[in-house]
């Protein structure tokens, strides 16, 4: 299960819990979510989607890599990589929709016949669309596409998240004519470095999310439940022109668990409020976390908050061109251990990686985690979120995304100033 799916489920669960306590309140339409939104206006009107020319350049680069590595084609099913290369935005189901990108020649898209008009709506790069009817085999269509592009034997690659039944279906339909290899390295080589157009969309997404967080920060009040706060965040995000991806709201003891608790929580004086939220603009994502206290923070809460901010600063200071990304996690963890946290991934402390890659997916490689040797290069994008968690008490997470440049890391959003001024 992807984190986004888990978070959506958690938000739905907390909203449902609130509805049980307050009968008759729709889980996604609380008054808190709509009050005052007239003051918010869209920030995304000038955002430009990825151009056809850029997508074609991505395909051309992928094809050069396949020629160099003597791989006949890449097959990828619905998902972010299909969107990345072709523009097709489609869900996964038991009915196969997939594309063949040959090392030479135009792409071929295979899809159920009754879905063809919908697929063509977002297909941005041309190519051949080959429908299959319910009594027919999509795998035979894929094999036919391979053969029509001159790929009759040898290695073919599958994008890493392609489901096994599709891989097996192609094997069977081709009578074992192909050697199946992983397409993970091929796709990563193209997707890893973000273009100026991608960075621009991510900047807008982060701007929207921070503005929505500012609105929520100014409108939360005692008695609210996580679902109500999440409703407000999502409504503000939509009013600002973003497409909500997730809104995780952890308050009180639940903030001590990075992805939450199902125990009912209510906002009151002294509550720790941890929000982990993100949206998409033309598919490209933001991911921001802020933590603050309703009322006066304790000395312990303030100290932990300041320690986490220092962890964020250490992560950025460690980010140098060519540095293995795992060294960023090591530097933060060494500081935390000196401060008495951990050791390592043990609690109380930092049980998760310092950050993750981000782009079309909320979590992408490479990862700021011990052992990842990927050297930092311009255009790579990451989150910076070295939280600290004390089971049974509270947790603090601050998260901002950044991208690497020739002169060092550049934040999409400024780091939070203080526990009193977290946005």
């Amino acid at each position: 299960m992807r984190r986004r799916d888990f978070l959506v489920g958690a938000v739905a669960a907390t909203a449902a819990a609130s509805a049980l306590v307050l009968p008759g309140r729709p889980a996604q339409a609380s008054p808190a979510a709509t009050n005052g939104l007239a003051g918010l206006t869209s920030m995304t009107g000038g955002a430009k989607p990825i151009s056809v020319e850029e997508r074609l350049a991505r395909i051309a680069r992928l094809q050069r890599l396949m020629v160099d590595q003597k791989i006949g084609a890449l097959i990828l099913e619905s998902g972010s990589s299909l969107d990345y290369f072709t523009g097709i935005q489609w869900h996964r189901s038991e009915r196969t929709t997939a594309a063949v990108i040959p090392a030479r020649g135009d792409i071929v898209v295979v899809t159920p016949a009754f879905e063809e008009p919908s697929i063509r709506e977002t297909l941005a790069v041309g190519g051949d669309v080959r429908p299959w009817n319910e009594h027919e085999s999509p795998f035979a269509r894929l094999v036919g596409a391979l053969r029509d592009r001159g790929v009759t034997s040898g290695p073919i690659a599958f994008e890493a998240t392609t489901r096994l039944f599709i891989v097996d279906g192609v094997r069977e339909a081709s009578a074992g004519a192909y050697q199946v290899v992983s397409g993970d390295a091929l796709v990563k080589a193209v997707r890893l470095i973000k273009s100026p157009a991608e960075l621009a969309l991510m900047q807008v997404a982060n701007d929207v999310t921070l503005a929505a967080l500012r609105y929520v920060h100014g409108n939360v009040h005692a008695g609210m439940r996580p679902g109500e706060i999440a409703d407000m965040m999502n409504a503000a995000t939509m009013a600002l022109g973003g497409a909500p991806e997730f809104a995780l709201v952890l308050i009180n003891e639940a903030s001590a668990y990075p992805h939450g608790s199902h125990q009912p929580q209510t906002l009151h004086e002294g509550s720790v409020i941890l929000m982990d939220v993100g949206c998409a603009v033309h598919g490209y994502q933001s991911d921001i976390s802020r933590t603050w206290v309703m009322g006066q923070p304790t000395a312990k809460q303030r100290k932990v908050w300041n320690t986490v901010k220092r962890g964020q600063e250490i992560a950025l200071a460690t980010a140098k061109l060519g540095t293995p990304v795992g060294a960023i996690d090591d530097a933060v963890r060494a500081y935390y251990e000196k401060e008495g946290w951990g050791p390592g991934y043990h609690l109380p402390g930092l049980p998760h990686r310092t950050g993750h890659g981000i782009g079309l997916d909320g979590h992408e490689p490479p990862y700021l985690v011990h052992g990842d040797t990927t050297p930092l290069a311009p255009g790579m994008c990451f989150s910076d979120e070295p939280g600290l968690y004390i089971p049974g008490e509270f947790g603090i997470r601050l998260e901002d995304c950044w991208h690497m440049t020739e002169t060092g890391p550049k934040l999409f959003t400024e780091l939070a100033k203080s526990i009193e001024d977290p946005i």
Side-chain angles (χ1 to χ4, degrees), residues 344-359:
Y345 293 83
H346 295 284
L347 289 170
L350 172 57
H352 56 73
R353 61 202 171 204
T354 294
H356 54 79
I358 187 169

Side-chain angles (χ1 to χ4, degrees), residues 327-389:
I328 297 173
D329 185 72
D330 294 339
V332 172
R333 217 164 289 279
Y335 163 66
Y336 280 178
E337 289 182 15
K338 287 181 182 178
E339 293 292 309
W341 300 96
Y345 293 83
H346 295 284
L347 289 170
L350 172 57
H352 56 73
R353 61 202 171 204
T354 294
H356 54 79
I358 187 169
L360 269 181
D361 287 318
H363 287 189
E364 297 182 357
Y367 297 98
L368 307 185
V369 66
H370 174 75
D372 193 323
T373 59
T374 306
L376 268 175
M380 291 182 180
C381 296
F382 302 92
S383 70
D384 178 6
E385 50 177 315
L388 287 172
Y389 310 91

Side-chain angles (χ1 to χ4, degrees), residues 48-376:
K48 297 180 179 179
I50 300 300
S51 68
V52 172
E53 292 75 20
E54 182 162 331
R55 292 188 196 278
L56 290 172
R58 295 168 175 177
I59 292 172
R61 185 180 176 202
L62 176 67
Q63 290 178 316
R64 289 194 295 271
L65 290 171
M66 288 192 286
V67 169
D68 291 344
Q69 297 177 33
K70 297 180 172 54
I71 294 173
L74 172 72
I75 295 177
L76 59 168
E77 68 160 316
S78 302
S80 62
S81 289
L82 185 64
D83 183 0
Y84 180 85
F85 288 108
T86 72
I88 293 173
Q89 296 163 18
W90 200 243
H91 58 276
R92 293 188 177 188
S93 75
E94 77 282 6
R95 296 183 174 99
T96 298
T97 290
V100 174
I101 303 180
R104 294 180 175 86
D106 294 335
I107 71 167
V108 179
V109 179
V110 171
T111 192
F114 64 91
E115 306 287 19
E116 181 181 357
S118 301
I119 291 295
R120 288 188 180 276
E121 282 184 349
T122 53
L123 174 60
V125 295
D128 186 7
V129 179
R130 300 188 180 184
W132 58 276
N133 287 299
E134 292 280 69
H135 67 291
E136 296 173 321
S137 167
F139 315 118
R141 290 281 194 278
L142 290 168
V143 171
L146 289 166
R147 290 171 177 164
D148 289 347
R149 295 296 183 265
V151 185
T152 58
S153 63
I156 60 169
F158 284 83
E159 195 267 344
T161 68
T162 304
R163 290 169 293 176
L164 183 60
F165 78 87
I166 296 175
V167 179
D168 283 346
V170 171
R171 279 199 189 103
E172 184 177 344
S174 67
Y178 302 106
Q179 175 192 350
V180 171
V181 299
S182 172
D184 195 37
L186 290 169
V187 173
K188 281 182 183 177
V190 184
R191 288 186 59 174
L192 196 64
I193 305 301
K194 272 54 178 181
S195 71
E198 292 177 287
L199 294 175
L201 289 172
M202 293 175 69
Q203 183 64 64
V204 176
N206 279 275
D207 291 344
V208 166
T209 296
L210 196 64
L213 265 171
R214 186 174 294 112
Y215 174 84
V216 171
H217 178 259
N219 285 279
V220 294
H221 56 80
M224 294 186 76
R225 303 174 190 276
E228 295 173 289
I229 301 170
D231 288 350
M232 187 195 302
M233 180 68 198
N234 288 333
T237 297
M238 289 186 286
L240 291 163
E245 283 288 327
F246 56 92
L248 180 66
V249 182
L250 309 179
I251 62 177
N252 305 326
E253 184 186 346
S255 64
Y257 310 105
H259 286 159
S261 165
H262 289 294
Q263 296 302 312
Q265 306 286 336
T266 303
L267 204 57
H268 55 73
E269 186 73 12
S271 286
V272 171
I273 307 169
L274 191 163
M275 293 187 63
D276 185 354
V277 292
C279 76
V281 174
H282 293 302
Y284 283 85
Q285 296 197 27
S286 61
D287 191 356
I288 300 176
S289 296
R290 290 291 185 268
T291 308
W292 68 94
V293 174
M294 173 165 279
Q296 185 65 29
T298 66
K300 184 174 186 178
Q301 289 166 342
R302 185 184 302 279
K303 179 175 176 55
V304 177
W305 196 101
N306 289 336
T307 301
V308 172
K309 181 177 179 180
R310 181 61 188 144
Q312 281 194 297
E313 294 169 345
I314 288 170
L316 295 170
T318 308
K320 310 289 186 184
L321 287 176
T323 297
V325 297
I328 297 173
D329 185 72
D330 294 339
V332 172
R333 217 164 289 279
Y335 163 66
Y336 280 178
E337 289 182 15
K338 287 181 182 178
E339 293 292 309
W341 300 96
Y345 293 83
H346 295 284
L347 289 170
L350 172 57
H352 56 73
R353 61 202 171 204
T354 294
H356 54 79
I358 187 169
L360 269 181
D361 287 318
H363 287 189
E364 297 182 357
Y367 297 98
L368 307 185
V369 66
H370 174 75
D372 193 323
T373 59
T374 306
L376 268 175

